[in-house]
Amino acid sequence: MRKLNSAMERFAIRHPGFGVPNLMLYIVIGNAAAFFLLRMTGGQAIQFLYFDWALVLRGQIWRLLTFIFVPQSLDPFSLILSLYFTWFIGSMLEREWGTPKFNLYYLSGVVLTIVTGIVSHYAFHYGILTGTYYVGMSMFLAFAALYPDARLMLFYVIPIKAKWLALADIALFAVDVIAALLRGSWLSALLPVVALLNFLVFFWCEIVDQIDRQRGYSRHRNSHQTIQFKSAVRKQRKKEAQQGYRHKCAVCGRTDTDYPDLEFRYCSRCAGYHCFCQDHIFSHEHFKE
């Protein structure tokens, strides 16, 4: 997986002219046009946009592309919000990654979806695709991975961080897969899986590195040295609480509690750990072994 991720990165770097700038703008416009066509001519009118491998083999090759323009909602208000969200997420990803890598991410999601439809056609005798809902969801997962603390509006009124919405989306993916398996819809079960696979291909290195950092942090927190240090700090604080002071001059006996404005230092030339006030730090007799 790491090699595939590196290959994607190298391709994007070596081909700066690859892809369509502002791709999501064209996707949104295509969805809006398909919606108006649907409302004006009825539901049957946009069936020629669906992906159907059997019809593709008969020469209707436009279906390899047009299915991405099929709107996912028939409600105008919901569609407007959905298309705006799609454009916003896509624009942010393109700005962060650059046009080549973003186009590659979206294109690989579409290709994996098409391959899933072809496999489903031969394996289950059903491979009709009506839109790229899960490709869009994988785009949001990418956005949440890049901007985990970005605040979005849940139900358009409740602010919530992107990382929590991403976790909810992953849970929703799992629910969709289980529900599809229970009703015997293998194509519907595979589509969320391939969308997550596309996400993992591009974020595998970051995920593995994050896991390694968390493991390293956990090992550090639970290491013998760290535990001993924490124990020593607790003992020192307990001792300070019992004594009532933190620093005490080894010559005159004044403490930082009795004289809060007095400066205290430790002598590096004395044997052991001895504290002196500012009046005796340079004039005391050094402690020896």
Side-chain angles (χ1 to χ4, degrees):
M1 190 72 78
R2 184 179 291 271
K3 290 183 178 180
L4 186 56
N5 179 276
S6 299
M8 296 287 189
E9 293 285 351
R10 288 195 301 270
F11 179 87
I13 294 172
R14 293 175 180 176
H15 301 81
F18 175 79
V20 179
N22 299 316
L23 175 63
M24 278 302 103
L25 178 61
Y26 299 105
I27 299 297
V28 167
I29 292 174
N31 273 259
F35 175 78
F36 284 117
L37 179 63
L38 173 66
R39 295 300 295 264
M40 289 187 299
T41 60
Q44 300 295 325
I46 64 168
Q47 288 189 3
F48 73 94
L49 301 178
Y50 296 167
F51 172 85
D52 187 335
W53 184 243
L55 296 178
V56 171
L57 293 176
R58 296 178 186 175
Q60 299 181 17
I61 58 175
W62 66 82
R63 294 178 181 270
L64 292 172
L65 176 65
T66 55
F67 79 100
I68 67 176
F69 298 116
V70 177
Q72 300 300 304
S73 175
L74 300 181
D75 176 65
F77 180 72
S78 298
L79 181 69
I80 291 173
L81 292 176
S82 174
L83 292 182
Y84 171 76
F85 188 71
T86 299
W87 171 81
F88 171 75
I89 295 297
S91 299
M92 290 294 291
L93 290 177
E94 185 172 1
R95 186 182 307 168
E96 177 69 24
W97 282 341
T99 298
K101 184 175 180 179
F102 172 68
N103 275 251
L104 195 60
Y105 185 82
Y106 187 82
L107 179 62
S108 63
V110 171
V111 170
L112 285 174
T113 301
I114 292 174
V115 171
T116 304
I118 296 172
V119 171
S120 179
H121 170 79
Y122 288 110
F124 313 116
H125 308 291
Y126 180 84
I128 298 177
L129 301 173
T130 58
T132 54
Y133 170 76
Y134 289 107
V135 175
M137 295 297 285
S138 71
M139 285 173 49
F140 175 70
L141 292 180
F143 173 84
L146 293 173
Y147 308 102
D149 295 322
R151 292 187 177 274
L152 302 173
M153 303 304 292
L154 180 64
F155 303 123
Y156 317 116
V157 293
I158 305 174
I160 187 171
K161 290 185 177 181
K163 59 184 177 182
W164 305 126
L165 282 177
L167 292 176
D169 286 340
I170 293 174
L172 183 61
F173 274 33
V175 170
D176 288 348
V177 171
I178 294 173
L181 291 175
L182 290 177
R183 65 175 184 267
S185 179
W186 296 98
L187 177 60
S188 299
L190 288 173
L191 290 176
V193 175
V194 297
L196 285 175
L197 177 62
N198 185 52
F199 169 78
L200 290 175
V201 167
F202 280 80
F203 284 89
W204 181 258
C205 293
E206 288 83 352
I207 293 173
V208 172
D209 291 342
Q210 179 65 24
I211 292 174
D212 289 341
R213 284 193 294 269
Q214 291 293 335
R215 287 179 177 174
Y217 177 68
S218 179
R219 285 195 297 267
H220 173 72
R221 288 189 60 187
N222 298 319
S223 67
H224 178 72
Q225 184 178 5
T226 302
I227 293 174
Q228 290 287 64
F229 174 77
K230 291 180 178 179
S231 177
V233 170
R234 287 195 296 269
K235 289 180 180 179
Q236 178 64 23
R237 289 177 178 174
K238 183 178 180 180
K239 181 180 178 181
E240 291 172 1
Q242 292 174 346
Q243 293 176 158
Y245 61 86
R246 185 175 184 183
H247 303 295
K248 180 179 180 180
C249 180
V251 176
C252 64
R254 289 184 293 182
T255 67
D256 59 335
T257 301
D258 298 328
Y259 300 88
D261 296 330
L262 202 62
E263 291 186 7
F264 292 86
R265 300 179 183 177
Y266 291 83
C267 180
S268 61
R269 297 178 59 186
C270 289
Y273 194 62
H274 299 284
C275 179
F276 301 94
C277 68
Q278 62 190 38
D279 297 330
H280 296 107
I281 183 65
F282 298 112
S283 61
H284 66 275
E285 183 177 346
H286 295 297
F287 287 83
K288 299 180 179 179
E289 292 288 350

